[in-house]
Amino acid sequence: MDPLLEGLRLVAAPDVLIAIFASAVYGLVVGSLPGLSATMATALLVPVTFWLSPIAAIATIITASAMAIFSGDIPGALLRIPGTPASAAYTDEAYAFTRKGQPELALGAGLWFSAIGGIVGTLSLMLLAPALAEVALSFSTYEYFWLALLGLMCATLVARSSPIKAIASMLLGLLIACIGMENPAGTPRFTFGIPDLLGGIEPIPALVGVFAVSEVMRAMASVEPPKMPFRRFGSILANQWKLTKQYQWPMWRGNFVGIVIGVLPGAGADMAAWVSYAMSKKFSKTPEKFGTGHAEGLVEAGASNNASLASGWVPSLLFGIPGDTITAIAIGVLYMKGLNPGPTLFTERAGSMYALYIIFILANIIMIPLGIVMIRVASRVLRAPRAAVMPIILLLCAVGSFATGNNLFSVLLVGLFGCLGYVMEKNGYPIAAMVLGIVMGNMVEQSFITSLIKSDGDVLPFFERPVSAFLAALTLGALFWPVAAWAWKRLAPRRAPAAVG
């Protein structure tokens, strides 16, 4: 009970409670603005966490991301413009309710089942993480090397773009991680005589650039969405209990899918929402109703996307492997605050872990009243002109990057990564895979070099330990799967005529 009481004491601190409330309001507002994703909302908070206590800093990341994922449903339902990529999976379904004059039913379902999914995902985090931590304590550098490599490969497999482009993005991230002299040999690499590059590329400026600045550039290059007319809503939570009983199996299936996908490195809420909505339609008794304002898909996808948020912290806290782009940012904050990810975090800092669980549950509980208020004032927030919002975001990016690095070179890096992120997205290269390469590059290299030193240059120990051999098989399978799929597609048309002949 001592760690639990310690966790409650940490969360009850005034600065933590203020941080939770303020980041909740912030996440709701940013998530509801079309084009401003939950990842971008989280990235913009990083400079603020610099001045907060460790628990308050993590509380802002957790709360803002949970709120932003839900509030992305608001413009999707009212304008058919998804606020976040996760809400894009069921935007047409939600908008169909608005066309029928029932927007409060779609938004209420998004709010209610997002909160339930978030709480179920938190329970999975509480059960899975400590149990896996016991196993992870026996891991050596061999297992950590394959685990990090497997995380990178999974990120390329779940990418919605071409697997080849995803692998290229990941390799670019690993190349960026090689910059500087913070490597086992202590040799400057790719610094080009620039002193500011000797310390390497910090993940935070890269993250803020590719997620926030690139969004501003995309907004500048696109047409501003139409303004939403002011309207009054009926009861937001009416009929939600009825939907819970009517669609309890889709809800639990969405929770389960969200938890499983959240644990996969690089997948996240976006993938969970798309997969769950597709599964809901496939297993539904009335698939013909989908797209006409049918709540079943909203129930399953809404429960799934927030469940994946919490379970995405399992690999992040245990191994320092990001479950998604939000936890990639959170890992940087954890290191900055001295809460270094790893299995020992659950033994040496158990109180902080219980505080994290409590914050997750608290964030999903307060999501309901604050979400109702946000839905009712949504028409006013969504009328904010883009020309006023985007310069503020750009200013926050510049000020925040300067504060974290305390030099102008960090500001330049943010701008450069913003341009890189914009070009990559425009050409179909997933920036999430590149981000994972940057975040995990150091871990892959350190584990590989340390393992080679221990084995005196012999590669057999990488495959001799049972767990290491199993992880190696999974990693190599993930690596060669895109090649095998490509070869199968190329050979299939040639086999067909031969079979006919």
Side-chain angles (χ1 to χ4, degrees), residues 226-404:
K227 294 288 185 292
M228 194 190 82
F230 179 77
R231 64 171 298 153
R232 294 187 179 277
F233 297 99
S235 175
I236 305 298
L237 293 182
N239 299 317
Q240 295 310 317
W241 182 245
K242 180 182 175 182
L243 288 177
T244 305
K245 291 190 291 184
Q246 184 178 356
Y247 298 119
Q248 57 178 308
W249 288 116
M251 179 188 73
W252 288 115
R253 187 169 61 223
N255 288 330
F256 177 76
V257 169
I259 290 167
V260 171
I261 289 179
V263 173
L264 292 175
D270 307 355
M271 181 63 63
W274 284 97
V275 171
S276 289
Y277 185 77
M279 286 185 65
S280 181
K281 187 174 183 178
K282 184 174 181 61
F283 293 110
S284 174
K285 295 178 181 178
T286 55
E288 69 279 357
K289 292 184 179 180
F290 278 68
T292 63
H294 188 51
E296 187 175 356
L298 298 181
V299 169
E300 187 159 345
S304 182
N305 58 19
N306 266 42
S308 70
L309 273 184
S311 64
W313 284 69
V314 173
S316 306
L317 293 171
L318 275 174
F319 310 112
I321 299 174
D324 55 15
T325 50
I326 291 171
T327 48
I329 297 167
I331 286 172
V333 176
L334 286 168
Y335 277 115
M336 187 169 67
K337 294 298 180 181
L339 295 170
N340 295 0
T344 56
L345 196 60
F346 294 84
T347 54
E348 297 173 3
R349 306 293 292 270
S352 297
M353 289 300 96
Y354 274 97
L356 187 145
Y357 304 149
I358 295 164
I359 290 165
F360 262 113
I361 293 172
L362 193 59
N364 284 283
I365 291 172
I366 66 170
M367 181 193 293
I368 294 175
L370 291 179
I372 292 172
V373 174
M374 184 65 212
I375 290 169
R376 296 200 178 279
V377 303
S379 57
R380 293 185 175 88
V381 173
L382 289 175
R383 291 174 69 85
R386 181 186 283 179
V389 174
M390 293 302 168
I392 294 172
I393 291 170
L394 207 56
L395 180 64
L396 289 172
C397 293
V399 173
S401 58
F402 181 81
T404 53

Side-chain angles (χ1 to χ4, degrees), residues 438-461:
I438 295 172
V439 171
M440 296 169 59
N442 189 50
M443 178 182 178
V444 172
E445 184 179 19
Q446 291 281 3
S447 301
F448 181 66
I449 297 300
T450 306
S451 300
L452 284 178
I453 292 171
K454 288 196 300 186
S455 65
D456 199 21
D458 187 6
V459 295
L460 282 179

